[in-house]
C-alpha cells in the first residue's frame, strides 16, 4: 500500500508548439480545400471557348438575268386637240362623246349643214373656186376627193414655185377644172348646193382618224366657238421617266404593260421626248416635284387588250438588257479585292477571282476560270 507521503503523478501536456503546428496544418488544409472549391466554382462560371461562326453559303446557279424597272403610267387616248369652228352661222347639231371621226364624215353641223372631216396638214384658209389657184390647201382638197373615190380628171400639176397671176397659194397643187367638177359631185352627194366652190367652213382638216373626246359647245352657239376636243383612236400609255435613266429607252423597245387587274400585256415604245420637264429650283418649298423628267409614250401591241379601258393608271415594265443562261450569285457573295476586282470565297477560305457582268434584282453575273454551276460559295446575304 502506498504511503500517503509519496508524490502524485501529474498528466503530461502536449507541448505548446505541437498544438500550434496542428492548428496551422488544419488551417492550411482548409485553405487548400477552400481554394480548390473556389477554383472549381470559377471554372464552372467561366464560359467555354467560343465556337467558330457558321458561314452562310449559296450555290452558283445558271439563270436569265434582266436589268429592268417598273414605272407608273397613265393609259388613255393620246393627241388631244381642240377644234374651233370657222365661218358664219350657228351650231345646229353635235356628235356624241366617243364617236369615231372618219374621212368624209360629218364632224358637226352649222345651220343644219355638215362640216366634213378631211385629212391633211393644211387647213382651208380661203375659198377655193378658181382654176389655176395653187397651194397646199389645194393639195389637201385633191387628195381627199381622190381618197373618197371622186374622179378629178388628169392628175393636177405639182408646183414648187408660185404661178404668176394664178392666186396666192404659192407652192402646192394646181386647182384644175377637173378638181372643181369633182368638188361639185361631192357637194351634191353630201346634201350641199353644188356650187363648185369650197368655203373654209364646209370642211375641217384633221391630221387623221380621231374620236370625239368631249363636246364643248352647245346648240345655238356661234360657229366660231370651240366646238369639241378630239383624240387619237389609239390608246397609249404616258410615262414620266427620270431624265438620267431615259438613255436606256428607245423607240421600238418592247415593254410589258401591267393593267389594273395585274394582267401583263405587250407594248412598244413609240416615242421618247427630248424636252426635259421639271428640274427647277429644288428649294421652292412648295412640295412640288422638280426632278427633271422626260415623257415616254408606249402603245399596246394589241388594241384588243385594252379595248374595255378608256383611262386607267397602269405600270410599265421596261427591260434595258437581258443576259440568257449565265452564272449568277447573290451580290453579297462578292468580295472586293485590295488589288481591284472581285472574288468568291469557298467555305474553306480559298478565294476565286471572278469577272462581274450584269447586276439585277440582288444578283450578279459572274464568270472566270474555276467557277462552275453548283459551286458552293460563302455569302453575306
Amino acid at each position: 500500500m502506498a504511503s500517503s507521503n509519496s508524490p502524485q503523478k501529474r498528466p503530461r501536456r502536449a507541448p505548446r508548439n505541437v498544438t500550434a503546428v496542428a492548428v496551422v496544418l488544419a488551417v492550411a488544409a482548409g485553405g487548400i480545400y477552400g481554394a480548390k472549391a473556389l477554383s472549381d466554382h470559377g471554372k464552372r462560371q467561366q464560359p467555354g471557348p467560343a465556337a467558330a461562326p457558321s458561314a452562310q453559303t449559296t450555290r452558283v446557279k445558271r439563270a436569265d438575268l434582266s436589268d429592268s424597272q417598273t414605272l407608273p403610267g397613265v393609259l388613255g387616248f393620246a393627241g388631244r386637240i381642240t377644234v374651233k369652228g370657222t365661218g358664219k352661222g350657228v351650231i345646229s347639231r353635235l356628235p356624241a362623246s366617243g364617236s369615231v371621226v372618219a374621212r368624209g364624215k360629218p364632224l358637226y353641223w352649222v345651220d343644219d349643214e355638215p362640216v366634213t372631216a378631211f385629212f391633211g396638214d393644211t387647213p382651208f384658209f380661203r375659198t377655193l373656186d378658181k382654176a389655176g389657184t395653187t397651194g397646199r390647201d389645194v393639195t389637201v382638197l385633191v387628195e381627199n376627193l381622190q381618197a373618197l373615190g371622186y374622179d378629178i380628171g388628169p392628175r393636177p400639176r405639182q408646183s414648187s414655185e408660185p404661178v404668176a397671176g394664178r392666186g396666192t397659194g404659192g407652192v402646192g397643187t394646181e386647182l384644175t377644172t377637173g378638181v372643181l367638177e369633182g368638188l361639185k359631185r361631192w357637194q351634191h352627194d353630201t346634201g350641199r348646193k353644188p356650187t363648185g366652190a369650197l368655203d373654209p367652213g364646209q370642211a375641217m382638216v384633221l391630221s387623221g382618224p380621231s374620236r370625239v373626246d368631249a363636246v364643248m359647245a352647245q346648240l345655238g352657239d356661234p360657229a366660231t366657238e370651240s366646238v369639241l376636243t378630239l383624240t387619237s383612236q389609239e390608246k397609249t400609255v404616258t410615262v414620266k421617266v427620270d431624265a438620267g435613266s431615259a438613255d436606256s429607252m428607245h423607240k421600238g423597245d418592247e415593254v410589258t404593260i401591267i393593267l389594273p387587274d395585274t394582267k401583263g400585256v405587250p407594248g412598244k415604245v413609240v416615242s421618247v421626248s427630248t424636252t426635259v420637264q421639271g428640274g427647277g429650283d429644288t428649294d421652292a418649298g412648295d412640295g412640288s416635284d422638280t426632278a427633271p423628267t422626260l415623257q415616254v409614250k408606249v402603245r399596246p401591241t394589241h388594241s384588243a387588250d385594252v379595248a374595255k379601258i378608256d383611262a386607267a393608271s397602269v405600270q410599265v415594265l421596261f427591260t434595258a438588257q437581258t443576259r440568257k443562261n449565265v452564272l449568277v450569285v447573290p451580290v453579297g457573295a462578292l468580295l472586293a479585292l485590295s488589288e481591284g476586282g472581285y472574288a468568291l470565297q469557298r467555305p474553306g477560305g480559298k478565294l476565286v477571282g471572278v469577272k462581274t457582268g450584269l447586276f439585277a434584282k440582288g444578283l450578279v453575273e459572274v464568270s472566270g476560270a474555276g467557277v462552275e454551276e453548283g459551286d458552293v460559295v460563302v455569302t453575306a446575304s
Side-chain angles (χ1 to χ4, degrees):
M1 186 173 180
S3 173
S4 58
N5 295 326
S6 46
Q8 295 181 352
K9 295 183 179 180
R10 296 179 179 178
R12 298 178 64 185
R13 294 182 180 179
R16 188 182 299 273
N17 59 343
V18 173
T19 304
V21 170
V23 172
V24 170
L25 290 174
V27 171
I32 293 171
Y33 176 81
K36 185 176 186 305
L38 289 173
S39 175
D40 291 344
H41 177 74
K43 289 179 180 178
R44 287 194 297 269
Q45 295 299 315
Q46 291 176 358
S54 58
Q56 186 176 352
T57 61
T58 188
R59 291 186 180 274
V60 179
K61 298 179 180 179
R62 283 198 175 275
D64 296 340
L65 202 58
S66 295
D67 180 14
S68 60
Q69 59 176 326
T70 302
L71 299 174
V74 178
L75 172 69
F77 293 97
R80 183 176 286 103
I81 61 170
T82 299
V83 174
K84 190 172 183 179
T86 60
K88 299 178 181 180
V90 298
I91 297 172
S92 57
R93 186 176 171 187
L94 290 163
S97 297
S99 301
V100 174
V101 179
R103 188 198 306 265
K105 299 298 182 181
L107 187 59
Y108 57 95
W109 286 256
V110 172
D111 292 346
D112 214 25
E113 288 195 357
V115 177
T116 303
F118 277 3
F119 297 160
D121 57 5
T122 303
F124 296 123
F125 55 88
R126 58 183 172 172
T127 298
L128 297 177
D129 59 353
K130 295 180 181 179
T133 302
T134 61
R136 293 188 179 90
D137 53 344
V138 178
T139 303
V140 172
L141 175 60
V142 168
E143 291 178 346
N144 279 272
L145 289 176
Q146 287 182 314
L148 293 172
Y150 289 94
D151 181 15
I152 60 171
R155 175 72 185 182
R157 182 176 66 88
Q158 298 291 318
S159 174
S160 58
E161 297 292 340
V163 179
R166 294 192 177 182
T168 59
V171 298
T173 303
E174 182 179 357
L175 185 60
T176 65
T177 56
V179 174
L180 293 174
E181 289 300 319
L183 176 60
K184 287 182 181 180
R185 289 190 291 273
W186 171 76
Q187 289 174 326
H188 175 272
D189 292 344
T190 55
R192 297 179 175 88
K193 293 180 180 179
T195 62
L198 179 69
D199 294 324
Q202 290 182 324
M204 182 68 62
V205 180
L206 307 174
S207 60
S210 313
R211 63 177 288 277
V212 177
D213 183 59
V215 176
M216 304 174 67
Q218 296 182 356
L219 298 180
D221 282 351
T224 53
E225 293 290 315
S226 294
V227 183
L228 43 82
T229 59
L230 301 176
T231 65
S232 167
Q233 291 181 352
E234 296 181 326
K235 296 169 188 172
T236 61
V237 179
T238 303
V239 184
K240 285 187 176 181
V241 179
D242 181 86
S245 61
D247 289 344
S248 62
M249 300 175 185
H250 307 89
K251 182 179 179 180
D253 287 350
E254 295 182 353
V255 301
T256 299
I257 303 169
I258 303 172
L259 302 178
D261 62 359
T262 71
K263 178 184 178 182
V265 299
K268 185 173 290 187
V269 175
V270 293
S271 68
V272 179
S273 172
T274 57
T275 302
V276 177
Q277 300 176 345
D281 184 7
T282 57
D283 298 326
D286 58 0
S288 59
D289 183 11
T290 58
T293 60
L294 293 174
Q295 264 195 5
V296 175
K297 297 284 189 179
V298 172
R299 182 175 298 152
T301 303
H302 309 292
S303 58
D305 289 336
V306 293
K308 297 181 179 180
I309 306 174
D310 282 348
S313 295
V314 298
Q315 300 286 323
V316 181
L317 175 64
F318 295 88
T319 301
Q321 56 180 319
T322 299
R323 300 283 291 163
K324 296 284 188 179
N325 196 33
V326 294
L327 297 176
V328 299
V329 295
V331 174
L334 290 180
L335 290 176
L337 301 176
S338 59
E339 63 271 23
Y342 294 94
L344 300 178
Q345 183 181 2
R346 306 284 192 193
K350 181 181 177 181
L351 299 181
V352 180
V354 294
K355 293 181 180 179
T356 59
L358 180 63
F359 286 76
K361 299 178 181 178
L363 299 176
V364 57
E365 175 190 357
V366 293
S367 61
V371 181
E372 297 180 356
E373 181 181 4
D375 287 350
V376 178
V377 295
V378 175
T379 181
S381 60

